[in-house]
Amino acid sequence: MGIEIERKFLLGDDSWRDAVIESERIAQGYLVSAQALHDGTARASVRVRRTGERAWLNIKSAQLGIERAEFEYPVPIADAEQMLAELCDGVLQKIRHHVTVDGVLFEIDEFFGENAGLVVAEVELPSTDASFPRPVWLGREVSHLARYYNVNLIAHPYARWTPDERQAAGEPTSC
């Protein structure tokens, strides 16, 4: 079984932009809705993602937190495009920026459309207690807040968030 250990953070400032080593545009949609995950009728999120000339299906266990089961499988571009167009409730658009700090890769997602203005840094770790650098631009951790999960950004986009939600105030702990 594949395991993903990932922590998410808001950004304190834009100084990370000077350290970007690569950026890629991503389109992704979900084949299992956020509502099914919230209701407990789905045990996993199933995502189709396209980046450039690559596409894949991603399956993650539906649990909140930094450690989840994860599986990824490549799919043909044409299949991904068809799934995004016909099988997903919406498509999330973002640019993922890669920034390396002391040998650790941070993936910074800058969202578009109804999620414009939201920028989140993610870092994948080898274990839940692994140490990692804390650059000055890394802000408050939001790993435990379900609204920051990409699957939830389609159903409840950043443009509709309250001021408290935008300040990372607490929320129910369901995916």
Side-chain angles (χ1 to χ4, degrees):
M1 174 185 340
I3 298 291
E4 174 192 59
I5 300 169
E6 177 182 80
R7 295 178 68 175
K8 292 178 181 275
F9 297 85
L10 297 179
L11 299 181
D13 63 43
D14 280 345
S15 61
W16 59 269
R17 291 185 186 279
D18 294 333
V20 171
I21 55 175
E22 179 185 6
S23 298
E24 57 190 352
R25 184 170 280 279
I26 296 173
Q28 67 186 44
Y30 290 84
L31 304 172
V32 175
S33 72
Q35 189 62 47
L37 293 166
H38 181 72
D39 293 346
T41 57
R43 294 178 50 180
S45 71
V46 181
R47 170 183 76 203
V48 60
R49 177 183 277 176
R50 179 175 182 191
T51 301
E53 294 305 312
R54 298 176 298 142
W56 56 95
L57 286 178
N58 174 279
I59 301 145
K60 287 186 186 183
S61 58
Q63 63 195 58
L64 194 62
I66 64 170
E67 184 175 2
R68 300 190 290 166
E70 178 182 42
F71 305 89
E72 281 192 344
Y73 305 97
V75 297
I77 294 288
D79 290 358
E81 290 295 333
Q82 186 173 2
M83 286 185 268
L84 287 167
E86 298 175 12
L87 302 179
C88 298
D89 289 335
V91 176
L92 194 66
Q93 300 279 342
K94 62 186 178 180
I95 290 182
R96 172 163 285 170
H97 305 282
H98 298 261
V99 175
T100 302
V101 178
D102 298 333
V104 175
L105 176 65
F106 287 85
E107 296 176 329
I108 301 173
D109 289 343
E110 185 172 11
F111 294 88
F112 296 98
E114 284 195 283
N115 289 296
L118 179 60
V119 183
V120 178
E122 300 176 349
V123 60
E124 289 196 23
L125 302 169
S127 66
T128 56
D129 61 351
S131 63
F132 57 95
R134 304 285 181 138
V136 296
W137 45 261
L138 198 63
R140 181 169 177 208
E141 184 167 5
V142 293
S143 301
H144 62 287
L145 296 177
R147 76 176 148 273
Y148 288 94
Y149 287 32
N150 287 324
V151 67
N152 292 320
L153 292 174
I154 291 173
H156 186 53
Y158 187 69
R160 295 188 214 148
W161 289 13
T162 67
D164 281 348
E165 287 175 320
R166 287 177 182 231
Q167 293 302 313
E171 72 171 28
T173 57
S174 62
C175 274

